[in-house]
Amino acid sequence: MMRVPYETMVDEFNRVLVKKGFTPERAKAAAEIFAQNSLAGVYSHGLNRFPRVVEYLEKGEIDPEIVATCELQLGAMERWDGHRGFGPLNAKLAMDRACALAKEYGIGIVALGNNNHWMRGGSYGFQAADQGCIGICWSNTCPNMPAWGGKDKKIGNNPIIFAVPRSNRQHVVIDCAVSQFSYGKIEDCRLKGQQLPVPGGYDTAGNLTTDPAEIEKTWRVLPMGYWKDSGISIALDLIATVLSNGNSVHTIGTFDDEVGLTQIMIAIDPAKANSAELTDQIVNSILEDIKASEPVEEGGKVLYPGEPEALNIQENLEKGIPVVEEKWNQVLAM
């Protein structure tokens, strides 16, 4: 397996983004977001996604200079317009603002419309937790999943994130699409020649399959909770579109590419009610009980959400980040 040092990956991403029109400061910030995703083991939204974003930049779908702006202030809630700028930087700005509102009001909500793909939603959960806030955020997508009982793609695999802070910065963060697997994860498994651990979609014969290449032929992915997450997907899209007056999944599907997405950032400051020590005590006691579970496999471990990323970061900083050579060579050639 080929591995690349974190700093090398940041430098290469930064080099390409500067050439594609980013200012040096914004290029470095964006490069770090992509590299940190791969560092945490979320390769589908790091290196593997980078060439697609560059393609959007070259097509003019993303303007690297545009910054999101606040359009409406309603106390603890604000509505922002992303102006189809660079998704991750706009999303980071929106979550920072939600945290600032939470520090003032106890809760902060920023509805960000007309943005572009935010890459890895978990980034903004960790961002909120680093500021001592509980973070809840989600994004809609293009229509890429059938509603339960349907065959054609009408709903999004809208990713949702929940984050709970700990003062030792070993935060609890769950980041998941409402499909069984994200599109990026399906691609990552295909590139590595791996099967999915459980069925993730349908093949051309209409049968459930673990073969990522077969799912990519139909792109008929499976909602992770069957009818339940089909309903959750619809609700997330409705709430996001109502709060932002942005684009719904249906509207995004009328565009040539997956652009103009709608995202919701919610931050809650537990320090308004609890001391940091009390919050830690509550969180730690729950996690200790979960980690005391009897593992299914002998010698196995039960991990809390966010713990695998922490372990990946430690290993990848020491050994370098594993890369798909085809994707890495694409970046080097840019």
Side-chain angles (χ1 to χ4, degrees):
M1 178 189 298
M2 181 179 180
R3 289 182 178 264
V4 173
Y6 170 74
E7 294 78 9
T8 302
M9 187 171 284
V10 171
D11 289 345
E12 287 298 325
F13 289 161
N14 182 72
R15 174 186 63 80
V16 173
L17 292 172
V18 168
K19 287 192 173 184
K20 299 302 176 185
F22 281 76
T23 63
E25 181 181 0
R26 285 173 62 80
K28 183 68 180 298
E32 287 176 345
I33 288 172
F34 280 104
Q36 285 167 5
N37 290 348
S38 278
L39 182 68
V42 190
Y43 311 111
S44 57
H45 291 70
L47 169 64
N48 294 1
R49 187 65 66 99
F50 188 77
R52 192 181 311 172
V53 172
V54 171
E55 180 185 328
Y56 281 9
L57 286 164
E58 291 173 342
K59 290 164 65 175
E61 295 281 14
I62 299 174
D63 188 326
E65 297 181 359
I66 287 180
V67 178
T69 57
C70 181
E71 304 296 311
L72 181 65
Q73 292 182 301
L74 300 167
M77 176 182 159
E78 294 182 354
R79 177 180 287 175
W80 285 56
D81 189 332
H83 305 292
R84 293 203 188 181
F86 184 62
L89 293 183
N90 278 346
K92 183 177 185 298
L93 180 64
M95 182 54 90
D96 274 338
R97 181 57 184 157
C99 289
L101 290 170
K103 298 295 182 182
E104 182 176 357
Y105 296 103
I107 187 171
I109 304 174
V110 174
L112 174 62
N114 201 30
N115 195 30
N116 282 318
H117 200 300
W118 65 359
M119 296 302 116
R120 171 194 172 211
S123 302
Y124 317 108
F126 280 103
Q127 179 187 340
D130 281 343
Q131 297 180 53
C133 289
I134 292 168
I136 305 170
C137 55
W138 70 89
S139 175
N140 66 6
T141 68
C142 65
N144 55 21
M145 187 167 67
W148 189 252
K151 286 187 176 181
D152 51 337
K153 293 176 282 190
K154 291 289 187 181
I155 63 176
N157 63 344
N158 310 328
I160 185 165
I161 294 87
F162 298 93
V164 180
R166 301 170 78 193
S167 58
N168 64 2
R169 299 178 76 85
Q170 299 298 304
H171 310 308
V172 181
V173 180
I174 176 68
D175 171 9
C176 59
V178 296
S179 57
Q180 185 66 54
F181 299 97
S182 70
Y183 273 47
K185 180 64 175 178
I186 292 170
E187 179 190 42
D188 188 47
C189 285
R190 176 180 56 78
L191 289 169
K192 292 177 178 176
Q194 298 173 346
Q195 293 286 299
L196 299 170
V198 297
Y202 297 86
D203 62 18
T204 52
N207 299 314
L208 284 172
T209 180
T210 60
D211 187 339
E214 284 297 305
I215 296 171
E216 284 186 336
K217 291 176 183 177
T218 64
W219 280 129
R220 188 181 163 199
V221 297
L222 185 69
M224 67 175 176
Y226 298 88
W227 54 89
K228 294 179 183 179
D229 279 294
S230 173
I232 288 174
S233 168
I234 294 167
L236 292 174
D237 184 43
L238 287 169
I239 295 168
T241 308
V242 167
L243 292 183
S244 68
N245 193 29
N247 298 315
S248 66
V249 167
H250 167 73
T251 303
I252 294 165
T254 66
F255 304 150
D256 291 335
D257 285 310
E258 191 180 41
V259 294
L261 308 184
T262 300
Q263 287 133 14
I264 301 294
M265 305 290 183
I266 301 173
I268 304 167
D269 183 9
K272 295 291 185 183
N274 296 348
S275 66
E277 291 77 16
L278 177 57
T279 296
D280 278 345
Q281 179 185 334
I282 293 169
V283 175
N284 291 343
S285 65
I286 293 171
L287 296 183
E288 286 168 7
D289 179 60
I290 291 168
K291 289 185 68 64
S293 302
E294 181 180 352
V296 172
E297 298 179 3
E298 187 176 349
K301 293 181 179 179
V302 176
L303 305 179
Y304 63 82
E307 192 173 8
E309 290 88 339
L311 295 172
N312 284 333
I313 288 170
Q314 182 179 354
E315 178 181 337
N316 290 344
L317 282 174
E318 292 173 1
K319 300 180 180 179
I321 301 170
V323 299
V324 175
E325 289 191 50
E326 172 192 345
K327 295 288 186 180
W328 182 241
N329 290 334
Q330 256 186 287
V331 173
L332 295 180
M334 288 177 184

